[in-house]
Amino acid sequence: MEFKKYNHSKEEKKISDFWIKKGLFKPKKNKSNKKFSIVIPPPNVTGRLHMGHALNNSLQDVLVRFNRMKGLETLWQPGTDHAGIATQAVVENNLLKKGIKKNDLGRDKFIKKVWKWKEESGGIILDQLKKLGCSCDWSRTRFTMDKDLSKAVIKVFVDLFNNKLVYKDKKLVNWDTKLQTAISDLEVVQKDVQSQLYYIDYAIENSDQKITIATTRPETLMGDTAVAVNPKDERYINLIGKNVIIPIVNRTVKIISDHYADPDQGSGAVKITPAHDFNDYEVGKRNKLEIINIFEKNGKINKNGLKEFHGLDRFEARKLLIKKLRELGSLIKIENIKNKVPYGDRSNTIIEPLLTEQWFVDAKKLSKEPIKIVKKGKTSFFPNNWSKTFFQWMNEIEPWCISRQIWWGHRIPAWYDDNGNIFVAENESGAIAKAKKKYKHKQFKLRQETDVLDTWFSSALWPFATLGWPNKTKELDKFYPTSVLVTGFDIIFFWVARMLMMGNYFKKNTPFHKVYVHALVRDEKGQKMSKSKGNVIDPLDLIKDYGADSLRFTLISMASPGRDVKLSKNRVTGNRNFITKIWSANNFLKINNCKYNKKVNLNSIKLPINHWIYSEFIKTQNLVTKSIEIFRFDEAAKHAYQFVWHSYCDWYLEFLKPILNSKNKGEIKEAKTFSSFMMANILKILHPFIPFFTENLWFLNSYKRIFNDYLISSSWPNYKKISNFSKNQNSINDLIELISNIRSTKAELKITPKLYCDIFFDQKSVKLKKLVNANIILIKQVGRIRNVLKSKIRSKNSFDILVLKEKLSLNFNEDVNLTSQKEKIFQKIELINNQITGLNNKLSNKAYVTNAPKEIVQNDKNLVKELTIEDGKLRSIVSSIN
């Protein structure tokens, strides 16, 4: 009988369309009334599937499919983020290619162009998530600029403003001179670059003395309002309080004492420019310094700079200033250094700290409740160490700048009159009504704020706004708070913390009970993937070549807490082989007509190998269940893999062959039924990991007819241990150890694996004798044993091995050159002993045992045990070779 190979590209698309068409991703009511809900971290509408998305959404899908199969009413809420700056940049660039500038179109026409682009291209990332197998309720897909979500955003802003938690102020912000907007810290990339440190002399007023300052940004000296030295720096104590003259500018500023100045950095004296450096801004506030802004919003020198510099770009201004300082003799030296410089992640332009008028949220007040919630354990982080990071950030939280100087996004619902009064309302008519109260019968004009809200402001409402808030909906009542959030560590503060703030403020409840934080996906050498390094692995390419299931299983099996995923194509290939192994095993069942036609009565099962495989499955079922529940996805995948590959495919099916080839009809029938029954349960525990392949086999094996359900909707295995199976479970495990020993010994001695041998055990080997006699058919075929000898044969082709702590003699009829292998075994024994000594030295080091991760220490202890057993086996072999 010939079987086709599994065609992942054909089957995955077919299965995906089928699931969606049948509505199998929608929440399904259950008798227990238990719920499970999770919101997708909304990808940018401009986004394309990258490896971070693939890991994050694969882990979410494991939880969703697992809980759905456990019978919980399960909702996975999907959607996309409007990604203000990123989307506007994409559409602007597309228009520029056609020779059209944004400002030529005007705001309203430009926004129509963005909506048109969104309708044409904005759904690509969602289609790619479907390819990955994400079982979101796609019928509920939301977009942060949808009408109902926009209504929620506006209401939140107005309510926060009315409660004095939103306000307008002039502060220093990250300013993108190319995009000409404030941006969040998350949108700033700190790059290591080669820079120059300029040492410049400032003359002390009414003195011949000078003080040397060191700066990487000499052009900003036009905005200096002080020079700071450390109060403990003895070099400068006598200069504190004196005035210095800024070279070229010829303006005097005071030398102040401040701990910000580091005596070990540069000259120990620093120029203070509060308008153009975040640290200087804080120094300025502490010392009540004047703030002088010398830049326009496009990064050019404004009228506060020297006249001959007006209109120059900041970097051109630097060149001219250095030239003049050199001519003046004030430039002492230039030092080449490597430092971090902030760049805008969209514009790739150096970010300018700029003093501008912006809208802010009082994050300090909003952070108080989330801190309490996490402390009380109402929201828990996994791994737990992330809670410490969360507290550190929340305790030091700064006001949150929420305004952006772009067009695409939620326009701030604030209106101004000609006198600068602000009227905040949910719509223009509300603002007019407020203005009428102020002006009574006088005439007035209102104009709306041109700024839009930070994208993170709207995404902070995601867990409850997507469920219908501010309306009271059954979904909101049923699925909020959500069960868990799966996220990368890089957005804990920018998204997770803000969701906790908004959820606790507006819903008086935490938005999620648990937060699982996963690591990064790196290349196989552990390096971060980047286009510049040329090491980016495209998940869509892997899906095309190996299938979504292979990629998913690879990422899930490597998702160990606190460790980055080191991805390679070889890993994906290995997991494709795993799927092929199951496919071949299923074909074996088909060839032998192994069908599961009715419910199995477990108490009527008699075959020892069925007792064993069932008991092994119970162990695996419980381990996989527990591992998923505690977010040990890697362990869950490992347990499933080991059971399927080794227990079922490698051993169970091998043990099945002699039974299927026997003449015992009762045993044959039981073997056929139970092997298929076990395959059905294998598909169940593997489904959250490799959903396409398992659903496909479910159809092929007609399990739908038997279980009256699709695999995705079937029940998660919850079988109980049967005590009278344990005897045969132990017996088969001993049999496996016996056969494994024979096989490994052949490998050590370079004996052909297919070669049969005779065995002999003396009177002391009671356990072995009983084991072999009870399983003679299995051991002869699977272990490749010809005869059980009644007397020991001593020849150059015989030797002893140790099995289950008892001696077993192996005898080969053919000539095998054992002597030539003896020396190699001695070398291996020496190598093993060196390994054992090295490991024991490590384990005797208290510092190592205390500080190293517990898993690694335990692995070392386990390895010592394994190597010690291996050492004993090898010594037993060489001692018996003639």
Side-chain angles (χ1 to χ4, degrees):
M1 191 181 290
E2 203 171 309
F3 293 97
K4 293 179 182 176
K5 286 184 179 179
Y6 175 64
N7 185 335
H8 65 260
S9 53
K10 177 185 170 186
E11 299 301 335
E12 287 178 354
K13 176 73 170 70
K14 190 167 71 178
I15 294 289
S16 178
D17 292 345
F18 174 81
W19 282 329
I20 294 168
K21 183 182 176 183
K22 289 286 183 180
L24 297 173
F25 297 161
K26 293 182 179 182
K28 188 178 176 183
K29 288 183 180 179
N30 61 78
K31 293 175 184 177
S32 68
N33 209 32
K34 290 181 179 178
K35 317 280 188 308
F36 178 85
S37 57
I38 188 168
V39 292
I40 198 170
N44 286 353
V45 72
T46 57
R48 297 294 181 271
L49 191 74
H50 58 62
M51 209 55 82
H53 290 135
L55 171 64
N56 179 275
N57 287 281
S58 294
L59 297 178
Q60 288 182 82
D61 199 47
V62 169
L63 292 172
V64 170
R65 289 179 185 271
F66 170 70
N67 282 285
R68 187 186 287 126
M69 291 176 78
K70 287 195 79 179
L72 280 70
E73 188 173 357
T74 302
L75 171 67
W76 187 5
Q77 174 62 54
T80 50
D81 192 285
H82 67 278
I85 293 172
T87 304
Q88 178 158 321
V90 167
V91 176
E92 273 194 76
N93 288 334
N94 289 345
L95 290 171
L96 282 172
K97 289 173 185 176
K98 298 175 183 177
I100 304 169
K101 291 183 179 178
K102 176 191 72 174
N103 292 334
D104 294 341
L105 282 176
R107 184 171 194 140
D108 292 341
K109 286 184 179 178
F110 176 75
I111 287 172
K112 283 181 182 177
K113 292 282 187 186
V114 181
W115 275 109
K116 186 184 177 188
W117 175 89
K118 188 263 175 185
E119 296 308 315
E120 291 171 357
S121 305
I124 290 174
I125 183 72
L126 298 181
D127 290 336
Q128 291 169 344
L129 288 171
K130 290 173 188 175
K131 282 185 178 180
L132 188 66
C134 297
S135 59
C136 306
D137 182 357
W138 298 108
S139 67
R140 290 185 51 81
T141 300
R142 297 290 182 267
F143 177 53
T144 48
M145 288 283 283
D146 282 345
K147 190 176 179 181
D148 52 347
L149 266 72
S150 296
K151 180 183 173 184
V153 171
I154 299 305
K155 176 174 171 52
V156 164
F157 182 91
V158 173
D159 285 0
L160 290 175
F161 179 84
N162 291 339
N163 287 289
K164 296 183 171 50
L165 291 167
V166 159
Y167 58 93
K168 198 169 188 184
D169 198 3
K170 197 169 190 178
K171 290 189 179 186
L172 209 62
V173 296
N174 296 310
W175 186 263
D176 191 310
T177 57
K178 183 177 180 182
L179 300 175
Q180 293 193 35
T181 180
I183 63 172
S184 73
D185 290 340
L186 185 63
E187 292 153 330
V188 176
V189 179
Q190 298 290 343
K191 293 185 180 180
D192 287 315
V193 298
Q194 290 294 332
S195 295
Q196 291 180 308
L197 188 64
Y198 302 88
Y199 288 79
I200 304 167
D201 271 352
Y202 282 38
I204 309 292
E205 191 180 35
N206 301 323
S207 165
D208 293 333
Q209 284 183 286
K210 292 177 182 180
I211 187 169
T212 305
I213 63 95
T215 179
T216 56
R217 304 191 64 207
E219 68 279 7
T220 62
L221 62 76
M222 290 182 273
D224 285 0
T225 55
V227 168
V229 296
N230 193 288
K232 293 182 180 179
D233 194 335
E234 293 181 359
R235 294 173 295 176
Y236 303 122
I237 287 174
N238 64 328
L239 296 179
I240 295 170
K242 292 187 176 183
N243 289 336
V244 295
I245 302 165
I246 304 171
I248 300 173
V249 179
N250 294 322
R251 178 164 48 81
T252 60
V253 297
K254 199 172 285 296
I255 297 175
I256 62 171
S257 163
D258 196 281
H259 286 283
Y260 168 63
D262 185 348
D264 298 323
Q265 291 292 319
S267 66
V270 289
K271 57 190 277 311
I272 302 299
T273 320
H276 300 297
D277 183 277
F278 288 104
N279 291 314
D280 289 8
Y281 183 68
E282 294 303 318
V283 174
K285 283 200 297 184
R286 284 196 294 273
N287 294 276
K288 297 179 181 177
L289 299 177
E290 184 185 0
I291 297 174
I292 303 172
N293 173 28
I294 64 163
F295 290 125
E296 298 286 358
K297 290 180 178 178
N298 60 5
K300 293 182 178 180
I301 305 296
N302 66 17
K303 62 182 180 181
N304 292 330
L306 292 168
K307 191 172 181 181
E308 60 187 303
F309 287 82
H310 289 182
L312 278 182
D313 176 77
R314 52 190 167 157
F315 301 115
E316 290 301 315
R318 181 182 297 177
K319 290 176 185 176
L320 179 58
L321 193 82
I322 292 301
K323 181 173 179 267
K324 287 186 170 293
L325 286 169
R326 193 175 268 122
E327 290 169 356
L328 191 66
S330 295
L331 183 65
I332 304 306
K333 66 174 179 175
I334 301 172
E335 192 176 287
N336 290 321
I337 62 166
K338 195 171 186 178
N339 67 336
K340 288 188 181 296
V341 175
Y343 281 76
D345 69 343
R346 298 294 169 187
S347 63
N348 200 32
T349 301
I350 293 176
I351 293 303
E352 188 63 55
L354 196 68
L355 194 66
T356 60
E357 203 169 33
Q358 302 286 346
W359 289 90
F360 293 89
V361 167
D362 188 342
K364 196 72 178 175
K365 285 184 181 176
L366 285 177
S367 69
K368 289 178 181 177
E369 193 58 29
I371 290 171
K372 288 180 189 174
I373 288 291
V374 176
K375 279 184 177 176
K376 288 177 182 176
K378 291 184 179 179
T379 292
S380 305
F381 283 87
F382 298 86
N384 184 54
N385 61 293
W386 286 110
S387 60
K388 295 175 187 175
T389 315
F390 171 80
F391 289 133
Q392 285 171 359
W393 189 77
M394 291 295 264
N395 290 327
E396 297 170 7
I397 200 165
E398 296 289 332
W400 171 16
C401 177
I402 55 169
S403 45
R404 299 290 180 267
Q405 291 65 52
I406 56 175
W407 287 350
W408 173 244
H410 298 101
R411 194 168 177 179
I412 291 175
W415 284 260
Y416 302 88
D417 64 16
D418 292 337
N419 298 316
N421 294 305
I422 302 174
F423 303 94
V424 171
E426 291 188 22
N427 49 48
E428 189 174 17
S429 58
I432 291 169
K434 285 187 176 183
K436 280 180 178 178
K437 284 184 182 180
K438 181 176 179 65
Y439 286 99
K440 300 196 184 317
H441 301 295
K442 294 179 183 177
Q443 292 291 316
F444 61 87
K445 283 183 180 179
L446 295 182
R447 67 185 188 283
Q448 189 178 353
E449 171 68 82
T450 55
D451 290 357
V452 301
L453 288 163
D454 175 17
T455 296
W456 296 102
F457 187 88
S458 52
S459 59
L461 320 181
W462 191 250
F464 55 92
T466 52
L467 297 173
W469 189 90
N471 298 326
K472 291 182 178 179
T473 65
K474 61 180 182 180
E475 289 85 3
L476 190 61
D477 184 54
K478 192 180 284 186
F479 296 115
Y480 188 93
T482 62
S483 309
V484 63
L485 179 78
V486 177
T487 183
F489 66 83
D490 51 342
I491 55 173
I492 287 177
F493 317 121
F494 303 99
W495 188 45
V496 178
R498 284 163 179 152
M499 284 190 288
L500 282 164
M501 289 180 198
M502 296 301 193
N504 281 292
Y505 186 81
F506 286 97
K507 285 295 295 169
K508 309 302 178 192
N509 205 341
T510 187
F512 23 74
H513 295 300
K514 297 173 183 177
V515 181
Y516 174 75
V517 184
H518 61 75
L520 291 174
V521 183
R522 298 181 179 271
D523 72 8
E524 60 187 310
K525 294 175 183 175
Q527 294 185 332
K528 190 174 181 180
M529 292 187 191
S530 69
K531 289 179 182 176
S532 60
K533 290 178 183 173
N535 64 344
V536 174
I537 304 174
D538 189 335
L540 294 169
D541 289 343
L542 294 181
I543 288 171
K544 182 183 175 184
D545 295 340
Y546 303 98
D549 287 324
S550 302
L551 173 60
R552 283 171 61 116
F553 199 82
T554 302
L555 294 171
I556 295 162
S557 65
M558 298 177 76
S560 181
R563 291 187 195 172
D564 287 335
V565 173
K566 294 180 182 178
L567 184 67
S568 69
K569 287 185 180 179
N570 287 340
R571 292 262 190 180
V572 185
T573 304
N575 286 309
R576 183 187 60 182
N577 294 342
F578 175 52
I579 290 169
T580 303
K581 181 97 170 175
I582 305 165
W583 180 257
S584 300
N586 198 66
N587 286 343
F588 171 82
L589 298 184
K590 283 187 170 185
I591 290 168
N592 289 283
N593 200 27
C594 299
K595 291 180 180 178
Y596 176 38
N597 296 315
K598 60 182 179 180
K599 286 188 177 179
V600 169
N601 181 357
L602 294 171
N603 291 317
S604 67
I605 299 302
K606 294 184 176 61
L607 284 170
I609 62 161
N610 286 340
H611 289 181
W612 171 74
I613 197 66
Y614 176 82
S615 301
E616 290 295 310
F617 178 78
I618 295 299
K619 190 165 67 176
T620 303
Q621 161 202 281
N622 295 338
L623 285 168
V624 172
T625 301
K626 181 66 177 174
S627 297
I628 294 175
E629 287 173 345
I630 62 171
F631 306 113
R632 286 306 307 264
F633 301 100
D634 57 329
E635 289 291 314
K638 182 186 81 175
H639 293 309
Y641 180 96
Q642 287 179 343
F643 171 79
V644 175
W645 187 293
H646 299 296
S647 300
Y648 188 82
C649 295
D650 281 354
W651 289 109
Y652 178 70
L653 294 185
E654 282 301 306
F655 288 146
L656 210 63
K657 289 173 184 176
I659 296 168
L660 293 174
N661 293 327
S662 74
K663 294 179 181 179
N664 189 322
K665 290 182 180 180
E667 288 187 353
I668 292 170
K669 185 179 179 183
E670 182 187 313
K672 286 184 176 183
T673 303
F674 204 77
S675 58
S676 185
F677 164 75
M678 288 311 306
M679 177 58 78
N681 284 292
I682 282 170
L683 298 182
K684 286 187 177 190
I685 63 163
L686 286 176
H687 182 69
F689 308 97
I690 48 175
F692 292 113
F693 176 76
T694 50
E695 189 77 79
N696 178 259
L697 275 195
W698 190 264
F699 277 115
L700 290 176
N701 293 353
S702 302
Y703 290 140
K704 162 70 171 65
R705 177 177 54 80
I706 300 157
F707 288 92
N708 198 30
D709 220 336
Y710 303 108
L711 178 57
I712 188 174
S713 311
S714 66
S715 299
W716 183 255
N718 188 26
Y719 295 103
K720 304 301 176 189
K721 189 175 179 180
I722 299 174
S723 57
N724 64 352
F725 282 14
S726 59
K727 183 183 175 184
N728 283 323
Q729 181 188 11
N730 295 334
S731 176
I732 298 296
N733 280 331
D734 287 346
L735 186 63
I736 289 169
E737 187 175 341
L738 168 59
I739 295 168
S740 298
N741 264 289
I742 294 170
R743 288 176 175 176
S744 63
T745 302
K746 284 181 179 179
E748 288 289 349
L749 297 171
K750 308 294 183 198
I751 297 170
T752 307
K754 291 182 180 180
L755 203 62
Y756 278 80
C757 68
D758 298 327
I759 60 172
F760 168 78
F761 31 78
D762 58 28
Q763 291 178 343
K764 292 179 183 178
S765 302
V766 178
K767 192 175 181 181
L768 274 178
K769 187 175 183 179
K770 188 177 178 182
L771 177 67
V772 171
N773 289 339
N775 300 281
I776 192 66
I777 296 173
L778 295 182
I779 196 170
K780 278 192 169 185
Q781 183 161 330
V782 181
R784 305 192 83 76
I785 304 298
R786 183 181 288 104
N787 298 305
V788 178
L789 302 175
K790 291 182 180 180
S791 59
K792 189 170 185 177
I793 297 174
R794 271 291 172 197
S795 74
K796 64 177 183 178
N797 296 329
S798 68
F799 54 89
D800 299 334
I801 62 172
L802 209 60
V803 181
L804 304 173
K805 297 180 180 179
E806 294 182 350
K807 195 179 285 186
L808 180 72
S809 299
L810 306 184
N811 182 72
F812 294 87
N813 287 344
E814 293 87 344
D815 279 344
V816 288
N817 192 352
L818 302 180
T819 308
S820 65
Q821 299 301 324
K822 198 171 182 177
E823 186 56 39
K824 290 180 181 177
I825 295 174
F826 275 125
Q827 289 172 5
K828 189 163 186 179
I829 289 170
E830 187 181 355
L831 187 66
I832 288 171
N833 276 274
N834 289 338
Q835 282 182 273
I836 293 171
T837 302
L839 287 166
N840 282 331
N841 287 339
K842 271 171 72 179
L843 293 169
S844 62
N845 183 333
K846 288 182 180 178
Y848 170 73
V849 174
T850 304
N851 299 321
K854 289 180 181 178
E855 282 183 22
I856 293 175
V857 174
Q858 190 56 50
N859 286 341
D860 285 348
K861 289 179 179 178
N862 293 341
L863 188 54
V864 169
K865 287 180 184 177
E866 289 170 15
L867 290 170
T868 303
I869 292 168
E870 180 68 12
D871 177 68
K873 287 178 182 176
L874 293 175
R875 288 181 187 278
S876 175
I877 293 169
V878 293
S879 65
S880 66
I881 294 175
N882 295 324

